[in-house]
Amino acid sequence: MESFNPHEYVPRRLDAPAKFLLWDFDLVASGIAGLAFGIIVNSLLMGAIASYAAIWAYSRLKQKRHPGHGLHYLYWQFPFKTFKRTPPSSRRFFVG
């Protein structure tokens, strides 16, 4: 067995998604959104239920698909105009 040389080490997870402790960051963000809803309606139980429902729905949306599929889906489905430009992939719908 060869000895470990730190100058020849190649990491295995270069494209790993951002994590918060054990969970993906986008799942945590959806759970925080559910808790924020609970704070707005002044009910801890409603916030916990909304958080669980948001995490469940978002994880089902991402299941067995590309790791960025959930964010891509949210980009195309939400009606907010927070994005500065339309991506080039939208041109295929308008071309003859």
Side-chain angles (χ1 to χ4, degrees), residues 19-65:
K19 298 251 185 210
F20 178 78
L21 297 178
L22 299 175
W23 304 281
D24 290 341
F25 186 73
D26 51 355
L27 285 175
V28 173
S30 64
I32 289 172
L35 289 176
F37 172 75
I39 290 171
I40 290 171
V41 298
N42 200 16
S43 173
L44 181 62
L45 180 62
M46 286 295 290
I49 291 170
S51 178
Y52 178 77
I55 289 172
W56 179 82
Y58 192 72
S59 64
R60 294 285 297 192
L61 178 68
K62 287 178 40 168
Q63 192 173 23
K64 296 180 182 177
R65 293 191 176 106

